């Protein structure tokens, strides 16, 4: 009789353990934390390499959690391994930040890589966001030109 009760209880215990693991994860983990939201890979107009044209190319990140996330040391890179390392930046809950290719003055909503050449390929590329420890946070890829941007 005791064995029968134990067998009947095992599926419920396994389900409870699985649910407990989900509930005990941090709110940021459950919500997905920071995501690549949009990539504007083809700046408007001719590709002149002017600073305004370079800054027309950007990647926008969104913090989907309910609390601020430190991006210090996080890396945003393309398939060719052009890297942007975030300085001591906190992204507020529900907030966005754009990382522009060219030069400019950093603000809470706009960061600048300071490059003099385009990073994101118009026909195909992959934007990858990793934490400072190398763990992958998110990626966004495009393989054909579909307008000039992609929502991820």
């Amino acid at each position: 009789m005791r064995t029968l009760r134990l067998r009947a209880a095992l599926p419920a215990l396994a389900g409870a353990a699985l649910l407990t693991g989900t509930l005990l994860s941090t709110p940021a983990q459950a919500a997905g934390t920071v995501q690549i939201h949009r990539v504007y890979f083809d700046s408007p107009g001719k590709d002149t390499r002017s600073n305004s044209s370079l800054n027309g190319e950007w990647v926008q990140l969104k913090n989907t959690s309910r609390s601020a996330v430190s991006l210090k040391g996080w890396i945003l890179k393309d398939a060719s391994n052009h890297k942007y390392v975030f300085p001591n930046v906190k992204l507020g809950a529900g907030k966005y930040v754009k990382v522009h290719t060219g030069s400019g003055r950093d603000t809470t909503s706009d960061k600048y890589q300071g490059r003099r050449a385009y990073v994101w390929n118009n026909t195909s590329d992959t934007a990858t966001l990793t934490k400072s420890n190398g763990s992958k946070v998110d990626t966004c890829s495009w393989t054909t030109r579909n307008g000039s941007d992609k929502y991820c």
Side-chain angles (χ1 to χ4, degrees), residues 56-120:
E57 178 181 86
W58 45 259
V59 175
Q60 185 180 49
L61 307 179
K62 180 180 182 183
N63 179 356
T64 61
S65 74
R66 295 182 192 163
S67 58
V69 174
S70 172
L71 302 180
K72 184 177 182 180
W74 286 31
I75 298 168
L76 177 65
K77 65 180 181 175
D78 71 341
S80 297
N81 211 29
H82 296 103
K83 295 179 181 180
Y84 171 76
V85 180
F86 283 87
N88 192 13
V89 172
K90 279 201 175 189
L91 185 56
K95 300 293 183 182
Y96 297 84
V97 64
K98 284 183 185 176
V99 179
H100 300 270
T101 298
S103 297
R105 186 170 170 233
D106 285 352
T107 67
T108 56
S109 60
D110 293 278
K111 303 297 176 195
Y112 297 88
Q113 296 188 50
R115 295 185 180 275
R116 295 181 183 203
Y118 299 97
V119 172
W120 308 105

